[in-house]
Amino acid sequence: IGAVHNSKEARRRAKKRAEKERATKWEGLFKKADLDGTGNISRDEVAAFIEEQDGRTPDATELTFIMNVSDTNPPEGRLGVEEFAEAITAWQCYKEEFSKGSHLSVLFDECDVDKTGNLNQEQLQTLLGRYSHTTVGDDDAAAVLKQADAIGDGNGRIHRIELQLALALWFQRYAQTVHIDEPVEGEGEEGEKPKSKSSRSCDRAPPPPALSCRNSGALTRALHLAS
């Protein structure tokens, strides 16, 4: 019993130490990004920080997305330490998932047949079906398109940076679909149509999208708000 207690205590201390190290790291980066010394980070300061770290500035659409999914506390348009951490994490996840030659990057480009840099409903429907190896209905594609508009431009198209959210929403929607047409074996009188039972399609659903950053806090919150 003593060994088990000591093991749990060691894990607790290790977790607490890791959280403290993470907080210290982000506080340091936050101070570096807070160019005007106001104690919060503006949209322009986020862009400047990313440019310094990555050598390129997010375009207006990308910047709007990472600000929208991370800016959850007042004042609006300014980020605290945790929000800043979520914004940069969301950007890093996006870069990772859409690195040159990655599966998502190639699939997006193949479905973007008109080369606009974003997907209309039909193109998104094709991508979701190919990615999940399932049939995606018109209503499902329309719902995902509407819910995944984290940028808020309402243009009826999915931008590249919104695709992670769209995929997560589709798999969530697919897993929650209820089928009521499966007969229950042994039930029903002779000549009578067998009774049906409800079963969630998550029993047969494909695995969730293989997005290495799909569990980032910003994306999780955006998914919760969208659904």
Side-chain angles (χ1 to χ4, degrees):
I1 296 176
V4 172
H5 174 76
N6 290 338
S7 177
K8 288 183 177 179
E9 180 62 22
R11 289 197 298 270
R12 187 190 67 80
R13 288 198 300 266
K15 181 180 179 180
K16 189 173 182 179
R17 183 167 56 252
E19 290 173 349
K20 184 176 180 180
E21 290 173 354
R22 177 187 180 278
T24 299
K25 167 194 169 183
W26 282 109
E27 285 170 3
L29 293 174
F30 181 87
K31 289 178 181 178
K32 183 177 182 180
D34 185 15
L35 301 177
D36 57 10
T38 59
N40 48 51
I41 305 295
S42 69
R43 177 188 174 100
D44 290 343
E45 287 172 327
V46 171
F49 180 84
I50 291 174
E51 181 178 21
E52 181 180 350
Q53 297 294 310
D54 294 350
R56 87 168 180 90
T57 304
D59 64 30
T61 297
E62 293 167 340
L63 191 56
T64 296
F65 177 88
I66 62 176
M67 289 295 292
N68 284 356
V69 298
S70 60
D71 185 11
T72 57
N73 297 311
E76 185 176 353
R78 311 283 299 194
L79 307 182
V81 177
E82 283 300 321
E83 293 171 310
F84 173 70
E86 294 294 357
I88 301 304
T89 300
W91 171 253
Q92 291 170 340
C93 287
Y94 168 60
K95 283 199 314 169
E96 181 178 333
E97 297 299 347
F98 282 93
S99 59
K100 186 176 181 180
S102 71
H103 176 57
L104 270 187
S105 182
V106 171
L107 185 57
F108 187 97
D109 289 340
E110 288 176 352
C111 293
D112 179 21
V113 293
D114 50 3
K115 304 307 175 187
T116 61
N118 46 54
L119 306 178
N120 62 24
Q121 181 177 319
E122 182 181 355
Q123 293 164 345
L124 176 64
Q125 191 169 350
T126 298
L127 186 148
L128 295 176
R130 287 179 57 182
Y131 190 84
S132 61
H133 306 290
T134 58
T135 299
V136 181
D138 294 344
D139 290 344
D140 287 327
V144 170
L145 184 69
K146 182 178 180 180
Q147 290 178 295
D149 182 21
I151 294 172
D153 53 13
N155 69 348
R157 303 183 75 92
I158 287 292
H159 296 275
R160 188 180 295 261
I161 198 169
E162 293 173 313
L163 184 58
Q164 290 173 301
L165 179 57
L167 285 168
L169 284 163
W170 160 239
F171 275 85
Q172 182 186 72
R173 186 178 181 85
Y174 183 84
Q176 292 175 348
T177 300
V178 177
H179 295 278
I180 58 173
D181 297 324
E182 296 184 5
V184 178
E185 293 183 8
E187 291 193 8
E189 299 295 333
E190 185 176 352
E192 184 182 40
K193 184 178 180 181
K195 295 179 182 180
S196 297
K197 66 178 180 178
S198 295
S199 64
R200 291 193 176 278
S201 65
C202 56
D203 294 336
R204 300 180 302 283
L211 303 174
S212 61
C213 289
R214 67 180 179 272
N215 292 322
S216 70
L219 182 58
T220 301
R221 284 199 300 272
L223 178 59
H224 174 71
L225 291 172
S227 58

